[in-house]
Amino acid sequence: MDPAALAEERMADLKVSFGFEEEELMKTSEEVLNRIFINLALSERSVCQKGGQPRRYRKERLKILRNWLEKENRILQAMNEDEKKMIYKHMGTDTTIKELYWHWEAEEVLCWAVNIVDQIEIPYYKKNIRQLYSAIDAFTGYEPITTGPSEMIYKFSKIDAMDALLSQIHMRPQEEIEAERDRAMIWHWRAIEKKADIFKKEPFKEIIERTFQDPEITKAVDSMPVAPDGKDLLVGKKKKFYGLSGDYMDLAVIYAGWRHKALEWVLNDESWEDTTADT
């Protein structure tokens, strides 16, 4: 195969691996809200299984969670079969518990996509510690506003939270979500590349331009924290991504990967489980 054809094939492979298609069909605000609550339920389920609280308290939290989902049947119905099983069966391994908890990492970008929050505050390489419960609860119009997951779930089991939220939320413009997806994808890709020496030698924007050969993706770099010397992304005022520890980089792959997946899912017509952010 000649070099030009090989480069074209490589570019196509990259776009497929990161979920790009010629036509994208966005999810509705109701579909996104369902997924926000499914992810919340799954992360809460992991805490009910193995958290730092007494077993009796965790069992009560699980009961509240199940009662809420059975009241808001549309959330339960929006789950895939594996997710439904997770709500009702005992999870026997730490790996499964951790995988469920990772769903929380997708929540901020999903809340942003439907305008529950005005902006994304958590960097893509950091754990999501944002208290989103209050932001979600505030949109229902019912007071007092809760600050924790179990309190919000208990409250929502007593009120018509879904209908109240659906009357208030709306999708952001597709081009705005696409631009954020591009930034998430770049962070995800950068985390996967870890300590590759190229990030010490060449301008970051040129690497992106050469790798993806897509003007829109290259343009996204202009709104990202590139180091003053143009090489690599910043993860602080002066520290470059290259300077993070290997363990931190491994976690960054997970954090950015879940958010990348969430935004890809918003923009396509596939199911959550079929949407990937593989590289």
Side-chain angles (χ1 to χ4, degrees):
M1 183 179 292
D2 66 82
L6 187 62
E8 185 175 351
E9 182 177 307
R10 174 57 178 158
M11 180 177 69
D13 288 343
L14 280 168
K15 289 189 174 183
V16 168
S17 70
F18 279 105
F20 282 84
E21 298 180 1
E22 289 299 316
E23 295 183 3
E24 296 175 309
L25 302 174
M26 277 213 311
K27 299 293 189 298
T28 65
S29 58
E30 182 170 6
E31 288 174 312
V32 176
L33 184 62
N34 279 336
R35 177 45 58 182
I36 288 170
F37 282 141
I38 290 169
N39 287 356
L40 169 64
L42 293 173
S43 59
E44 174 71 359
R45 178 67 183 92
S46 71
V47 174
C48 293
Q49 182 71 27
K50 188 175 182 179
Q53 299 162 327
R55 186 170 181 269
R56 184 173 67 176
Y57 182 74
R58 287 187 280 115
K59 286 181 69 175
E60 182 61 25
R61 284 181 70 164
L62 180 56
K63 181 180 178 181
I64 292 170
L65 173 62
R66 288 170 175 168
N67 287 343
W68 170 57
L69 291 174
E70 287 162 10
K71 172 186 174 290
E72 290 287 5
N73 189 253
R74 68 187 104 176
I75 301 173
L76 203 58
Q77 293 305 311
M79 289 181 168
N80 62 48
E81 291 305 311
D82 287 339
E83 290 170 338
K84 290 177 185 176
K85 289 177 183 177
M86 290 297 179
I87 297 297
Y88 288 99
K89 77 171 189 177
H90 178 83
M91 296 176 291
T93 68
D94 287 346
T95 300
T96 303
I97 295 169
K98 287 179 181 178
E99 286 175 353
L100 284 189
Y101 189 77
W102 288 130
H103 284 76
W104 180 248
E105 295 302 326
E107 294 292 79
E108 187 187 32
V109 296
L110 292 174
C111 286
W112 171 83
V114 291
N115 282 279
I116 289 175
V117 296
D118 292 332
Q119 58 186 3
I120 296 169
E121 296 180 358
I122 306 297
Y124 282 97
Y125 55 87
K126 284 189 174 182
K127 181 179 180 180
N128 180 18
I129 58 171
R130 188 172 182 181
Q131 295 297 317
L132 295 168
Y133 316 108
S134 297
I136 295 170
D137 194 1
F139 264 68
T140 67
Y142 291 92
E143 295 186 350
I145 305 302
T146 55
T147 58
S150 58
E151 293 88 350
M152 188 182 78
I153 288 169
Y154 178 77
K155 177 181 175 179
F156 283 12
S157 69
K158 305 296 182 182
I159 64 174
D160 293 324
M162 285 290 288
D163 289 334
L165 282 160
L166 287 171
S167 70
Q168 297 295 320
I169 64 174
H170 60 278
M171 296 298 298
R172 290 182 183 274
Q174 181 168 336
E175 58 270 21
E176 188 177 352
I177 299 175
E178 287 174 346
E180 191 60 42
R181 183 271 315 276
D182 290 348
R183 287 187 284 271
M185 183 199 67
I186 292 171
W187 272 113
H188 186 202
W189 173 82
R190 176 62 192 93
I192 289 170
E193 293 299 311
K194 297 186 178 179
K195 290 185 178 291
D197 285 339
I198 192 172
F199 298 108
K200 296 170 68 176
K201 300 175 180 178
E202 297 185 32
F204 186 76
K205 190 172 183 178
E206 290 182 10
I207 298 171
I208 295 299
E209 183 177 24
R210 184 173 64 251
T211 300
F212 294 99
Q213 300 183 38
D214 186 314
E216 290 302 314
I217 299 174
T218 303
K219 182 180 176 182
V221 177
D222 293 335
S223 58
M224 298 179 72
V226 178
D229 64 2
K231 297 174 184 177
D232 212 356
L233 294 171
L234 289 175
V235 292
K237 290 184 178 180
K238 297 181 179 180
K239 190 172 185 177
K240 296 179 181 179
F241 192 91
Y242 192 95
L244 293 176
S245 69
D247 289 345
Y248 203 119
M249 286 182 174
D250 289 341
L251 288 171
V253 174
I254 296 171
Y255 302 147
W258 275 94
R259 297 165 204 177
H260 177 196
K261 172 189 171 80
L263 291 167
E264 292 284 9
W265 173 80
V266 170
L267 289 165
N268 68 34
D269 60 350
E270 297 179 346
S271 64
W272 179 262
E273 61 270 27
D274 288 339
T275 298
T276 63
D278 296 337
T279 59

